[in-house]
Amino acid sequence: MLVAWNYRYRNSPMDHIDPRARFIFSFAILFAATTTWNPNILFAVFVIAITWYSLGRLTWKDTRFGWLMISIMLFTMIVINTIITGGGAGGVVPPGGQLVWPDGVSIFGRHLNIGLTVERLWFAVSQLMRILSISLVFIMIPYTMDSRAYGVTFSKLGLPDRLAYTMELSFRFIPTLARNFQVTLDAQRARGFELDAGKGNIIQKIRQVAPLLIPVTMNAIVSSEDIANAMDLRGFGQRKRTWLYELKFHWWDWAIIAFAVVMLAAVVLLAYHFDMRLFSVPNWWYGLFN
Amino acid sequence: MTENQPLPLVVENLTFQYHTRSTPAIQNLDLVLEPGQVMLLAGSSGCGKTTLMRCINGLIPHSYHGEMSGEILIHGQSVKGMGLSQISTHIGTLLQDPERQILGTYVLNEVCFGLESQGMSREEMLPKAYKALERLHILHLKDKETFFTSGGEKQKVALAGVLAMEPDILLLDEPLASLDPASAYEALLAFRELADEGLSVMIVEHRVEDVLAINPEKVLYMDDGRIIYNGDAAGLMDAVDYSRIKLPAPVIARRAKNRPAPHFQPTVPPIDPHSQPLVSFQDVRFQYTADTPEVLHGINLDIRAGEVIAILGHNGSGKTTTVKHALGLLKPTAGKVLLEGVDTKKSTVAEAAKTIGYVFQSPSQMLFAATVREELAYGPKNLRFSPQQVEENVNWAIETVNLEEELPTPPLALSFGQQKRVSIASVLSMRSRVLMMDEPTAGQDYWNYQAFMSTILQTPGFDAIVFITHDLDLALIFANRVVVLYGGEIVADGHPQDIFQDEEKLIKWRLMPTSLLKLNQQLWPKTGQYLRAEALSQFI
């Protein structure tokens, strides 16, 4: 059975914003944040995203699972990829630059030469602002949007019925997968399974988690067939679909959409017309390392 | 109905063979369903019941492919030219597992799904949805999230979603499978009412005895893809093998007369009331999260060697939640659970698995191996058994569930019933001291579950056996102790004869007295114990 995200009505400002306006705003932030590497613009977008997030009145407890997932992604992308290996900065940060530790550092009595540059470190900060801006506006959606509103929102945004309902099902797939994973984990633990990450090579580790991954994957495939059958048996796709859940637009929804459009247009204008698209390091940042 | 009006459903000489099989799943089937009729379609697992339903509701050939011949007419019109959605306007299908059918996140949205597909306005669909909910007495659930409804409620919600579309033929695939006895009875009464109002209702069901209570006009019995019996309910009693489907106890007892009674001698050790409990629940309270209601309210329960415990209770009464605590899969919010004297909060589930073998409800959540043999060896290998011991355990477990020939087969390629038996065997192979089974008979036909329950109880090695069930007869035949849960509390705990003698209380706990219970009570002065129907024949 498909599970919904843990939404509850909080009577927050976000609860009163039409989901269509919310999606339009969120995608405007996404495009704005990915249009430029300019630190000032990214910072402005980041501040707007934080303000938007605060409208949801979400607590840390509500969203900690989502933030945990994003933290893992951020750690991989920024700490490992950008700062340690430098790989993620390729093509954006020019080669060379000013070393953060020109004389190397001593760790546990060993002298190490670390090639981390001030530019790569600023790139990590910029990347952090970009990813956090996008995460802030999208992570809140499942927690602040009524599960009944997804299909009708995508439909009213112009997607065909089949695609709109597929989008709704996709949103519900993640919590469903999490629940199924927990059930399978319990069932295998009851057969003596213990996840021991420290043992064996990569092949052995993959084999070790096969008892978890195979049932969860197979169930996902089988349930997708079940869902398709259940929809067919109830006439899905027979004709243009209607929706029980009603959406209502208010003046503030128009205002939010107008703000989103103006914001995105301004970012595009600054990025392409005023040449503020490329990566640059502010002088004050260099000052911190001199 | 006027004389010239075509019949709702006519099946003529229908044969179907799946592409993946070498023999037809159903052969040369003929049946006619009239308005206002309830038709019971019975038969053991794999007899072709589900295939027939899929042919009628259009899932064959739209979703399942193979060779089909013969004709299916809905109101005189062949289904061959109809799309699935067109068929769905005439035929409403309720699948066996409501969790596989429910799409909406809230009850009202779920019930309106089909109406939305028909393009109805909100003003048109709401009265139809309310009518369907009212008919099933679940209007109060309309704003509830479907995920948080109980098993019985889910079944009713799924049915309301079908009824809202106002079909004239209703196909019900094992609609009682996940329901407690009282919910099953209520559902059957609703089906009867619908038929009395003019709907044609076809019920595919193992629980034949239960369906007979609503006087189906027609009964079909299938075996090996063919219709063996097509007639009224009375004729069925003598036409079929009484060991294959669950007939009323007096019928079985009459027919089993002059035949040797089945041998049954449980091998669990005698109960020692002074021994240390294997598992001890001490004032256990539990809630899933701080902002959800408490689901267990002070459970006190000791499980000792020699006990065969049946845990009964209505849908959502806390049976599974209780049993999961024994293994440490859930930890009490208050109180404690001791496993052989050790608090489950201080041990891992893997350690607990050495003492308790726990069979989950759904086999598909655990099966993963390339062969059944590997699947059965997984548990004992995790517990560091020697290769020879693993081999012995695997062979014993597979014999117990009667699936020796499937050892080289991938478990996921087996039928649901066979998968269930493999999941049981994969826990049996661990040779745990305590065996706990959650709904071991779900998805099994009568013969299979009687056979493996008898085998398990007659196999030496278990100190205690605990099983959750909705089947009162299973508790009556196999258990020496019955625990009844109601609303998260233990409301009865004792010998089956003490618990089952008060019919009023049984009904209050949503457990309906069965014909086997009534016959046993009637013959109690002669037997002095509860027996299965075949064994009662010698006392009649």
Side-chain angles (χ1 to χ4, degrees):
Chain A
M1 182 180 182
L2 281 165
V3 183
W5 286 89
N6 189 19
Y7 161 78
R8 63 187 166 82
Y9 183 76
R10 296 173 177 81
N11 197 21
S12 68
M14 194 56 73
D15 283 315
H16 299 281
I17 298 173
D18 187 283
R20 287 166 290 183
R22 295 180 53 184
F23 269 99
I24 289 168
F25 185 90
S26 303
F27 276 101
I29 290 282
L30 170 71
F31 291 129
T34 51
T35 296
T36 179
W37 279 112
N38 182 282
N40 296 325
I41 300 176
L42 280 179
F43 182 71
V45 172
F46 181 54
V47 170
I48 294 169
I50 289 178
T51 311
W52 181 252
Y53 185 81
S54 69
L55 298 179
R57 289 189 191 151
L58 287 167
T59 63
W60 166 244
K61 202 176 141 197
D62 290 328
T63 55
R64 63 185 167 191
F65 176 74
W67 283 116
L68 177 70
M69 294 294 110
I70 285 170
S71 303
I72 292 169
M73 187 181 74
L74 283 174
F75 182 80
T76 313
M77 284 181 69
I78 295 172
V79 179
I80 296 178
N81 209 13
T82 305
I83 296 181
I84 298 178
T85 69
V92 179
V93 182
Q98 180 185 328
L99 288 171
V100 175
W101 294 287
D103 304 324
V105 284
S106 288
I107 299 174
F108 301 121
R110 292 188 62 186
H111 187 78
L112 297 172
N113 285 318
I114 296 175
L116 178 65
T117 63
V118 174
E119 291 79 5
R120 261 168 49 200
L121 203 55
W122 178 249
F123 178 75
V125 173
S126 304
Q127 207 175 27
L128 188 69
M129 283 196 292
R130 174 186 270 192
I131 296 171
L132 278 179
S133 301
I134 298 166
S135 304
L136 281 163
V137 293
F138 282 99
I139 199 175
M140 67 187 305
I141 291 175
Y143 300 103
T144 54
M145 188 165 145
D146 193 314
S147 59
R148 289 167 287 194
Y150 286 98
V152 63
T153 300
F154 295 123
S155 173
K156 300 278 182 191
L157 282 170
L159 297 186
D161 284 352
R162 198 165 280 276
L163 192 54
Y165 203 73
T166 305
M167 292 285 286
E168 173 172 339
L169 295 176
S170 308
F171 263 90
R172 289 161 64 190
F173 183 69
I174 297 166
T176 304
L177 205 62
R179 185 194 71 144
N180 290 347
F181 187 83
Q182 188 58 51
V183 174
T184 297
L185 180 61
D186 283 352
Q188 306 303 34
R189 285 162 76 206
R191 294 205 287 168
F193 170 85
E194 278 181 297
L195 195 56
D196 190 350
K199 283 184 183 170
N201 58 32
I202 186 77
I203 303 290
Q204 286 166 324
K205 279 175 186 163
I206 291 170
R207 288 187 66 153
Q208 202 186 9
V209 293
L212 299 179
L213 298 185
I214 293 173
V216 171
T217 310
M218 291 305 293
N219 265 308
I221 295 167
V222 171
S223 27
S224 65
E225 285 176 21
D226 288 342
I227 291 163
N229 285 344
M231 288 164 69
D232 285 341
L233 286 173
R234 291 162 78 192
F236 186 84
Q238 186 183 1
R239 60 184 71 164
K240 176 71 185 157
R241 188 177 168 77
T242 50
W243 304 86
L244 177 70
Y245 194 85
E246 286 182 311
L247 297 178
K248 281 183 190 140
F249 243 90
H250 300 91
W251 65 265
W252 55 82
D253 297 312
W254 290 114
I256 287 165
I257 290 171
F259 177 82
V261 171
V262 169
M263 177 196 68
L264 184 57
V267 170
V268 170
L269 193 71
L270 289 169
Y272 288 94
H273 189 71
F274 294 96
D275 209 17
M276 294 171 74
R277 187 166 56 90
L278 298 177
F279 175 76
S280 62
V281 183
N283 287 331
W284 62 266
W285 182 255
Y286 282 111
L288 294 177
F289 298 92
N290 289 330
Chain B
M1 188 181 71
T2 62
E3 261 183 38
N4 295 329
Q5 210 167 348
L7 291 164
L9 179 66
V10 177
V11 175
E12 291 173 347
N13 201 25
L14 183 69
T15 297
F16 180 78
Q17 182 175 331
Y18 291 99
H19 276 153
T20 50
R21 303 261 181 90
S22 55
T23 53
I26 50 174
Q27 290 184 69
N28 309 114
L29 303 191
D30 292 289
L31 65 90
V32 170
L33 187 57
E34 293 174 29
Q37 280 191 336
V38 173
M39 175 188 281
L40 166 63
L41 178 56
S44 47
S45 290
C47 72
K49 304 185 299 282
T50 303
T51 303
L52 172 59
M53 280 194 65
R54 286 174 181 165
C55 288
I56 295 171
N57 65 22
L59 286 179
I60 292 176
H62 292 95
S63 298
Y64 300 90
H65 305 294
E67 293 299 319
M68 185 155 83
S69 63
E71 192 65 272
I72 298 170
L73 303 169
I74 298 174
H75 295 290
Q77 194 185 345
S78 171
V79 295
K80 279 176 187 158
M82 293 187 195
L84 251 183
S85 45
Q86 195 185 348
I87 296 173
S88 75
T89 58
H90 296 289
I91 297 182
T93 306
L94 184 68
L95 301 174
Q96 180 184 346
D97 182 357
E99 293 216 351
R100 295 171 64 181
Q101 179 153 12
I102 289 175
L103 297 160
T105 50
Y106 283 78
V107 168
L108 188 59
N109 291 70
E110 165 58 22
V111 175
C112 287
F113 185 91
L115 306 175
E116 291 172 328
S117 299
Q118 290 175 353
M120 278 187 198
S121 68
R122 187 181 158 84
E123 290 68 34
E124 283 175 298
M125 66 174 96
L126 277 177
K128 289 177 190 285
Y130 287 148
K131 188 179 159 193
L133 288 165
E134 262 171 1
R135 155 170 292 289
L136 299 170
H137 313 293
I138 52 167
L139 186 58
H140 61 284
L141 297 178
K142 72 180 169 65
D143 297 319
K144 195 169 178 178
E145 283 189 65
T146 47
F147 182 70
F148 293 110
T149 53
S150 71
E153 287 171 345
K154 280 191 181 79
Q155 188 72 278
K156 288 181 184 173
V157 170
L159 180 60
V162 172
L163 292 180
M165 295 174 73
E166 298 176 347
D168 32 40
I169 303 164
L170 206 52
L171 299 186
L172 309 163
D173 189 2
E174 297 197 32
L176 314 180
S178 56
L179 300 185
D180 61 53
S183 296
Y185 184 65
E186 287 162 10
L188 283 166
L189 290 181
F191 304 151
R192 180 71 263 175
E193 271 181 42
L194 289 164
D196 292 343
E197 288 170 17
L199 250 75
S200 308
V201 181
M202 180 191 275
I203 306 176
V204 173
E205 189 53 66
H206 286 307
R207 288 157 72 166
V208 171
E209 182 195 1
D210 295 358
V211 182
L212 293 180
I214 58 163
N215 303 315
E217 281 79 7
K218 279 189 179 172
V219 179
L220 265 70
Y221 180 76
M222 285 180 68
D223 191 22
D224 202 19
R226 294 173 189 277
I227 293 176
I228 303 296
Y229 176 80
N230 184 353
D232 60 12
L236 177 78
M237 304 301 162
D238 293 312
V240 299
D241 181 348
Y242 63 80
S243 68
R244 307 306 298 189
I245 54 171
K246 193 177 179 188
L247 295 173
V251 173
I252 299 174
R254 174 175 58 78
R255 290 186 55 192
K257 209 162 174 64
N258 304 323
R259 294 192 192 186
H263 173 79
F264 178 63
Q265 190 61 50
T267 53
V268 285
I271 302 169
D272 177 3
H274 305 295
S275 63
Q276 189 202 19
L278 293 161
V279 186
S280 180
F281 288 74
Q282 298 180 358
D283 203 23
V284 170
R285 294 177 174 275
F286 180 73
Q287 56 191 127
Y288 281 95
T289 54
D291 52 0
T292 55
E294 190 177 83
V295 286
L296 297 181
H297 316 295
I299 300 287
N300 287 292
L301 178 70
D302 287 342
I303 299 170
R304 290 192 160 79
E307 290 185 317
V308 180
I309 303 176
I311 300 184
L312 302 172
H314 61 88
N315 293 117
S317 60
K319 303 183 292 294
T320 300
T321 308
T322 301
V323 169
K324 279 187 173 176
H325 274 82
L327 197 62
L329 287 168
L330 296 173
K331 312 284 185 192
T333 315
K336 56 180 151 179
V337 179
L338 304 178
L339 181 59
E340 293 193 290
V342 177
D343 193 330
T344 54
K345 283 181 181 166
K346 292 174 184 161
S347 61
T348 67
V349 176
E351 284 166 351
K354 290 171 189 162
T355 306
I356 294 182
Y358 179 46
V359 183
F360 276 63
Q361 240 177 71
S362 171
S364 63
Q365 307 279 19
M366 63 184 274
L367 301 179
F368 73 96
T371 64
V372 169
R373 182 183 292 282
E374 283 177 38
E375 191 73 55
L376 268 56
Y378 178 69
K381 278 183 181 169
N382 281 337
L383 300 184
R384 310 270 190 271
F385 284 22
S386 70
Q388 192 194 339
Q389 218 173 349
V390 172
E391 179 75 14
E392 282 172 18
N393 289 8
V394 167
N395 291 335
W396 167 77
I398 202 72
E399 277 171 32
T400 305
V401 297
N402 194 27
L403 280 175
E404 295 95 315
E405 71 282 5
E406 304 293 355
L407 274 174
T409 311
L412 293 167
L414 298 172
S415 71
F416 178 82
Q418 288 172 323
Q419 285 187 10
K420 180 84 183 181
R421 278 145 69 197
V422 170
S423 74
I424 292 169
S426 69
V427 172
L428 290 179
S429 64
M430 292 159 65
R431 300 306 297 251
S432 313
R433 291 180 63 195
V434 182
L435 179 64
M436 291 189 165
M437 297 180 284
D438 195 345
E439 294 273 10
T441 62
Q444 301 290 304
D445 62 41
Y446 180 65
W447 186 88
N448 266 317
Y449 77 67
Q450 290 277 347
F452 81 69
M453 284 298 286
S454 293
T455 310
I456 288 168
L457 268 89
Q458 294 181 101
T459 304
F462 296 114
D463 284 349
I465 294 172
V466 180
F467 59 95
I468 292 173
T469 186
H470 283 312
D471 188 337
L472 206 72
D473 289 350
L474 209 66
L476 187 141
I477 297 167
F478 294 111
N480 57 25
R481 181 180 169 192
V482 169
V483 172
V484 182
L485 278 157
Y486 187 86
E489 287 177 60
I490 293 178
V491 288
D493 182 357
H495 290 287
Q497 46 267 49
D498 298 330
I499 306 292
F500 292 152
Q501 66 181 351
D502 191 337
E503 277 195 18
E504 263 183 43
K505 278 191 178 163
L506 285 181
I507 292 166
K508 186 181 154 198
W509 299 329
R510 301 189 65 74
L511 307 169
M512 307 294 286
T514 60
S515 64
L516 181 62
L517 175 61
K518 286 175 181 167
L519 189 62
N520 264 295
Q521 283 170 337
Q522 196 185 320
L523 296 173
W524 182 264
K526 293 181 190 172
T527 61
Q529 59 179 321
Y530 282 159
L531 296 169
R532 61 180 72 191
E534 294 90 328
L536 288 173
S537 63
Q538 57 187 304
F539 297 97
I540 293 176

